[in-house]
């Protein structure tokens, strides 16, 4: 495949992050770790960050098509915005003199937005001007029309004091010519699109959407719409993961559901690797007798780790396989629905974002007192489903963990608006103790 690999400028930021993590954790990312050991969430993130890179190709798209796409260029403004001094008010543009205390002005012209006028306004004169109108030569302040009194047909009197520069939006005040407005890797928001349009741009270079392959595994899985047989449950994870991927801006190849058979899993991975940049599998990644995903990963390529010290989500495999001239990244998510969703959010999505050329995003966390005791044993980092409590102004004041924290109870995650993050070595938490809260984007 003819792929143009884009070097990521923001890899510097990631390297910094890795260095800091290493210092804190005193782990070497390069250590040849035994696959059978638990690694921490940070170690998992560092190891994956080192293994993935931005692989997305570049395309030129119209502003209309650029929403939520990562920029593949740094944008410097070709013009001043606004391009000329203009009025911020409907009022009068004055030739204001600091020496005189004159409050009476002769109105000599009228200026509408988009209809500049060439005359020069002399001392003692003013021009009626509308919002956005170009400030005429000679004027150095605008007074809003509510602050003047009409004197006859052609004069006004100021009823409030005016300062030099009042109500004038200076040329380049918003964005100066040559100024860097957005840097490579920025995920474009609707407001960003407006800023780009204000520069007169019609198209921008963005990274192409990555293609992610997905399938679920499990002999017990029936598809929604089918009648459940004894021992079956519905495959809730595949629609959920597909929706999460779509929501995050990826193209998805849905390879369906596969029985618990190693060869079938291997051949589905091989097939997907022809067209996909990464593959997400779900289920069968643990140590059960019918758990074949980890084995399939290691027989096809390399498996870096498959146990992370987190709850939910202990079994989570990360690996890669080479297909012709490209490397395809493999994420083996656990089958329990809450574990699937949480490992997607915490471990998988940040890596897919890096691969797709996006700048690393900072997470908005907060500390809140819990209004329930929380049980926990040291050994894994917990992500407990919870609800943020707010006062009458909407300010978060406390957090309530749900009573049911089973990794099979997906409805609790649907109703949660945050996860309480409890550190690996910490044990239970008492009422009113502050905890780290990670709001969940819905
Ligand atoms: P596994 O990770 O395959 O050991 O599965 C762990 C638990 O998650 C089992 O109870 C499975 O039945 C359940 N599970 C696995 N895959 C799915 C899925 N796609 N949708 C819903 N539940 C699943
Ligand atoms: Mg299974």
């Amino acid at each position: 495949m003819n792929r143009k690999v884009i070097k990521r400028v923001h890899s510097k930021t990631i390297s910094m992050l890795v260095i800091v993590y290493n210092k804190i954790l005193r782990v070497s990312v390069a250590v040849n770790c035994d696959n059978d050991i638990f690694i921490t969430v940070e170690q998992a993130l560092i190891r994956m960050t080192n293994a993935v890179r931005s692989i997305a190709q570049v395309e030129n798209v119209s502003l209309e098509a650029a929403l939520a796409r990562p920029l593949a260029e740094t944008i410097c403004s070709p013009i001043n915005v606004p391009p000329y001094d203009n009025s911020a008010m409907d009022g009068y543009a004055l030739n204001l003199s600091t020496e005189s205390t004159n409050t009476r002005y002769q109105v000599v012209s009228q200026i509408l937005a988009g209809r500049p006028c060439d005359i020069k306004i002399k001392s003692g004169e003013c021009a009626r001007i509308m919002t956005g109108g170009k400030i005429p030569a000679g004027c150095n302040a605008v007074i809003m029309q509510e602050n003047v009194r009409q004197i006859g047909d052609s004069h006004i009197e100021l009823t409030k004091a005016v300062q030099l520069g009042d109500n004038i939006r200076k040329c380049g005040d918003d964005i100066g010519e040559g100024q860097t407005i957005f840097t490579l890797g920025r995920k474009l928001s609707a407001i960003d699109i407006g800023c780009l349009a204000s520069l007169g741009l019609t198209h921008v270079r963005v990274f192409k959407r990555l293609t992610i392959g997905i399938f679920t595994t499990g002999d017990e899985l029936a598809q929604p719409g089918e009648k459940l047989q004894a021992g079956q449950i519905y495959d809730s994870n595949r629609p959920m993961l597909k929706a999460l991927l779509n929501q995050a801006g990826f193209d998805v190849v849905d390879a369906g559901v596969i029985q618990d058979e190693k060869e079938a899993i291997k051949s589905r991975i091989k097939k997907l690797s022809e067209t996909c940049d990464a593959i997400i599998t779900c289920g069968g990644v643990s140590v059960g007798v019918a758990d074949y995903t980890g084995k399939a990963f290691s027989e096809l390529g390399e498996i870096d780790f498959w146990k992370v010290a987190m709850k939910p989500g202990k079994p989570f495999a990360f690996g890669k396989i080479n297909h012709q001239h490209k490397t395809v990244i493999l994420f083996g998510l656990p089958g329990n629905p809450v574990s699937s969703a949480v490992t997607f959010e915490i471990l998988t999505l940040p890596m897919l974002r890096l691969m797709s050329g996006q700048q690393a995003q900072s997470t908005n966390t907060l500390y809140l007192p819990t209004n329930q005791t929380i049980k926990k044993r040291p050994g894994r980092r917990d992500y407990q489903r919870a609800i943020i409590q707010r006062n009458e102004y909407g300010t978060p004041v406390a957090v309530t963990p749900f009573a049911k924290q089973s990794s099979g109870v997906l409805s609790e995650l649907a109703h949660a608006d945050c996860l309480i993050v409890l550190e690996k070595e910490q044990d239970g938490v008492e009422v009113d103790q502050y905890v780290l809260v990670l709001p969940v984007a819905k």
Side-chain angles (χ1 to χ4, degrees):
M1 194 186 291
N2 183 17
R3 338 196 86 207
K4 188 176 169 197
V5 177
I6 303 303
K7 257 193 160 182
R8 289 181 37 243
V9 169
H10 54 277
S11 62
K12 214 167 143 198
T13 322
I14 298 299
S15 325
M16 287 293 294
L17 188 83
V18 169
I19 291 164
V20 171
Y21 271 146
N22 282 344
K23 278 202 177 142
I24 295 169
L25 299 166
R26 301 195 195 295
V27 295
S28 162
V29 185
V31 289
N32 203 359
C33 132
D34 172 4
N35 277 343
D36 199 23
I37 64 163
F38 265 118
I39 62 171
T40 64
V41 172
E42 281 85 1
Q43 285 170 323
L45 288 170
I46 292 165
R47 289 165 73 135
M48 291 192 292
T49 300
N50 282 342
V52 304
R53 61 194 166 86
S54 171
I55 52 162
Q57 294 175 289
V58 173
E59 63 184 335
N60 206 30
V61 297
S62 70
L63 289 194
E64 240 166 74
L67 181 65
R69 304 286 294 274
L71 267 180
E73 61 180 332
T74 288
I75 306 279
C76 297
S77 178
I79 58 163
N80 281 310
V81 182
Y84 48 86
D85 291 0
N86 68 89
S87 177
M89 294 286 171
D90 293 331
Y92 294 85
L94 310 170
N95 181 321
L96 192 68
S97 155
T98 40
E99 281 101 55
S100 95
T101 50
N102 176 32
T103 57
R104 188 173 284 217
Y105 289 81
Q106 186 186 0
V107 185
V108 295
S109 182
Q110 172 158 288
I111 302 156
L112 305 180
R115 308 256 175 96
C117 100
D118 284 341
I119 69 160
K120 183 166 175 357
I121 307 295
K122 298 197 278 291
S123 178
E125 292 179 345
C126 71
R128 178 123 168 78
I129 192 163
M130 299 299 124
T131 305
K134 186 172 186 294
I135 303 291
C139 290
N140 47 18
V142 170
I143 187 163
M144 60 196 282
Q145 64 190 27
E146 290 84 345
N147 294 339
V148 306
R149 194 172 46 233
Q150 295 291 330
I151 311 282
D153 282 348
S154 59
H155 284 78
I156 54 160
E157 180 150 275
L158 314 189
T159 58
K160 247 191 169 174
V162 195
Q163 305 295 323
L164 279 179
D166 271 4
N167 299 317
I168 292 181
R169 298 190 289 214
K170 297 295 282 179
C171 170
D173 192 28
D174 181 352
I175 307 162
E177 185 178 338
Q179 186 185 325
T180 298
I181 168 96
F182 298 133
T183 51
L184 177 88
R186 182 185 177 93
K187 187 177 174 187
L188 293 171
S189 71
I191 310 299
D192 294 351
I193 303 283
C195 285
L196 293 169
S198 79
L199 308 180
L201 300 179
T202 59
H203 286 71
V204 276
R205 286 159 66 76
V206 294
F207 288 111
K208 277 192 177 166
R209 286 159 72 102
L210 293 186
T211 303
I212 315 298
I214 178 167
F215 62 86
T216 43
T217 63
D219 291 350
E220 74 279 32
L221 299 180
Q223 293 312 303
E226 292 173 1
K227 190 166 166 24
L228 280 183
Q229 306 298 328
Q232 284 193 319
I233 55 162
Y234 286 121
D235 178 4
S236 51
N237 292 351
R238 197 156 49 88
M240 174 181 74
L241 290 167
K242 273 170 70 179
L244 285 166
L245 286 165
N246 285 326
Q247 188 172 273
F250 298 101
D251 290 334
V252 181
V253 178
D254 180 358
V257 62
I258 308 184
Q259 299 295 105
D260 289 315
E261 280 171 31
K262 193 176 69 181
E263 290 310 315
I265 295 171
K266 280 171 72 178
S267 78
R268 200 66 58 99
I269 292 174
K270 271 199 232 157
K271 181 91 190 107
L272 283 174
S273 62
E274 289 167 14
T275 52
C276 296
D277 301 296
I279 298 170
I280 296 178
T281 69
C282 173
V285 80
S286 191
V287 290
V289 287
D291 288 335
Y292 295 115
T293 313
K295 295 179 193 97
F297 279 15
S298 48
E299 286 179 26
L300 288 171
E302 288 166 37
I303 186 160
D304 186 2
F305 59 85
W306 61 283
K307 275 188 192 172
V308 182
M310 66 188 280
K311 190 182 170 194
K314 179 175 79 173
F316 172 88
F318 175 73
K320 53 186 174 185
I321 59 171
N322 292 321
H323 177 79
Q324 290 169 357
H325 297 300
K326 67 170 180 171
T327 300
V328 180
I329 301 293
L330 306 174
F331 299 97
L333 274 52
N336 272 312
V338 179
S339 310
S340 267
V342 172
T343 54
F344 178 84
E345 200 62 37
I346 304 293
L347 300 173
T348 312
L349 189 55
M351 297 306 124
L352 294 180
R353 289 198 176 122
L354 288 180
M355 291 169 69
S356 66
Q358 271 182 52
Q359 286 169 357
Q361 292 183 344
S362 54
T363 31
N364 295 321
T365 51
L366 48 162
Y367 278 94
L368 290 173
T370 171
N371 54 19
Q372 305 282 325
T373 52
I374 309 177
K375 286 193 193 135
K376 179 186 182 294
R377 275 200 304 246
R380 290 199 262 163
R381 181 187 285 182
D382 261 25
Y383 293 89
Q384 298 224 353
R385 282 67 77 200
I387 288 272
I388 294 173
Q389 306 297 335
R390 296 170 188 275
N391 65 14
E392 70 261 44
Y393 306 110
T395 309
V397 289
V399 64
T400 310
F402 288 140
K404 288 186 205 159
Q405 292 291 337
S406 157
S407 57
V409 182
L410 190 58
S411 59
E412 292 285 47
L413 181 59
H415 291 121
D417 61 6
C418 68
L419 296 169
I420 296 174
V421 184
L422 300 176
E423 274 317 322
K424 183 170 169 278
E425 294 314 334
Q426 143 176 25
D427 45 25
V429 177
E430 298 300 327
V431 170
D432 287 342
Q433 213 174 311
Y434 275 73
V435 289
L436 180 66
V437 172
L438 185 65
V440 244
K442 293 270 166 123

